Amino acid sequence: MSQSTLTFEQPLHERVRLLLRLEALVERFRSTSLASRDFDHHHALTVLVDIYALAGRVDVKRELMGEIERQIANLNRLASQPGVDQERLTLTMQGQRRLLARLENQVGSLDHRVKDNEFFTSVRQRTALPGGACDFDLPVYHYWLSQPAGTREELLLEWFQPLETVAEAITQVLTFMRAAGSPRKVLAHDGYYEQGLDTNYAWQMLRVSVGSEEQCYPEISAGRQRFTVRFLDPGEFHDRPRIVSRDVPFQLSCCAI
């Protein structure tokens, strides 16, 4: 594969879909909250609003704890398999149990620091409207953006603090999940690839990596027993993408723990 590749991930059930969404939002928050421009901190705050909105619809801690418990149970079954590195397996399971305990011991709702905060609530309400955070709509927000970068960053990190353990757990769970897949080189004939899934395994994610020189992207469709990958040519992003009519080499990982 080319050194310049782009990886596309397809979640195979709702829990993984939730974790991938949160992972992307947390990464955006971290990169923008630590910047210094007011525009970056504006983006960091709107991302934080999205994180809390998503966390408010789903019990994120419960979903994470359920996934970690499932991973521990599956790791425990590996202990009796021949050729398993027992020391590494033990350390991995200990790390998972410590993370599970931290989630269990976290007291209160994730949004307790922003739930009754009038400033955060006003920003959340106004940013839900197109262009709703203009200075004439929200003068207090305009004033906050004029404060020193360190002052803005301090408040952003204070509001994010209840999410730190959850963010760490998401990173660990998804890293472990991704590592469970073994990348292999395959070929999409005329831009199309199809494969069955062994239903004896609990598949969580598909990962497709394609070289930038191929100048196409995959559209992944997956069910419980089968998945397909169809490669599309985006053209110049003006017209409707076209299905690729040539063979496309790529790397495929089917991840199951």
Side-chain angles (χ1 to χ4, degrees), residues 6-254:
L6 189 59
T7 298
F8 300 81
E9 296 180 328
Q10 178 67 33
L12 296 181
H13 57 72
E14 285 304 312
R15 179 179 288 169
V16 180
R17 190 181 304 275
L18 168 67
L19 299 183
L20 287 173
R21 290 189 194 281
L22 286 169
E23 178 190 51
L25 289 171
V26 168
E27 287 178 355
R28 292 175 199 168
F29 174 81
R30 292 198 190 283
S31 64
T32 52
S33 64
L34 299 179
S36 59
R37 298 182 305 164
D38 57 352
F39 177 81
D40 293 311
H41 287 167
H42 163 75
H43 185 60
L45 185 50
T46 57
V47 169
L48 192 58
V49 167
D50 286 345
I51 294 174
Y52 276 118
L54 187 56
R57 290 198 296 267
V58 183
D59 189 340
V60 177
K61 282 200 303 184
R62 182 177 59 81
E63 291 294 331
L64 269 171
M65 289 166 62
E67 182 61 30
I68 293 172
E69 288 170 347
R70 194 188 65 78
Q71 289 186 358
I72 290 173
N74 288 341
L75 285 170
N76 196 44
R77 284 193 286 270
L78 285 176
S80 59
Q81 299 295 321
V84 173
D85 186 334
Q86 295 294 333
E87 182 178 356
R88 183 178 178 184
L89 181 63
T90 299
L91 290 173
T92 300
M93 291 176 65
Q94 287 175 347
Q96 295 286 74
R97 290 193 177 101
R98 283 194 297 269
L99 196 53
L100 182 62
R102 287 173 59 193
L103 287 169
E104 290 175 335
N105 293 333
Q106 188 168 358
V107 179
S109 63
L110 293 176
D111 65 349
H112 71 274
R113 290 198 177 178
V114 300
K115 188 175 183 180
D116 298 318
N117 185 285
E118 186 174 341
F119 175 47
F120 187 89
T121 300
S122 64
V123 173
R124 176 163 51 191
Q125 291 172 344
R126 296 306 305 182
T127 53
L129 304 173
C134 289
D135 56 346
F136 57 85
D137 286 310
L138 207 56
V140 65
Y141 186 49
H142 185 56
Y143 175 77
W144 179 74
L145 288 174
S146 73
Q147 300 302 296
T151 300
R152 299 194 305 262
E153 181 183 325
E154 183 179 355
L155 185 59
L156 288 168
L157 296 181
E158 177 187 331
W159 283 343
F160 185 78
Q161 194 278 328
L163 297 165
E164 286 288 357
T165 301
V166 165
E168 182 181 340
I170 289 171
T171 298
Q172 185 164 318
V173 165
L174 290 177
T175 298
F176 192 60
M177 195 178 292
R178 289 170 177 131
S182 299
R184 58 190 180 90
K185 294 181 179 180
V186 293
L187 189 68
H189 296 284
D190 290 329
Y192 181 81
Y193 181 84
E194 183 176 2
Q195 181 181 315
L197 288 170
D198 187 343
T199 55
N200 291 317
Y201 294 90
W203 302 101
Q204 284 96 36
M205 181 193 303
L206 302 173
R207 307 186 77 225
V208 170
S209 298
V210 60
S212 59
E213 73 278 2
E214 298 296 335
Q215 298 185 348
C216 60
Y217 67 93
E219 188 177 76
I220 307 169
S221 178
R224 293 185 60 188
Q225 299 180 335
R226 184 169 299 278
F227 70 91
T228 61
V229 181
R230 187 183 301 275
F231 285 92
L232 301 175
D233 179 358
E236 299 298 324
F237 303 101
H238 295 305
D239 302 318
R240 185 173 181 175
R242 300 185 303 275
I243 298 173
V244 170
S245 58
R246 66 181 187 277
D247 292 350
V248 179
F250 66 99
Q251 282 192 343
L252 173 68
S253 293
C254 301

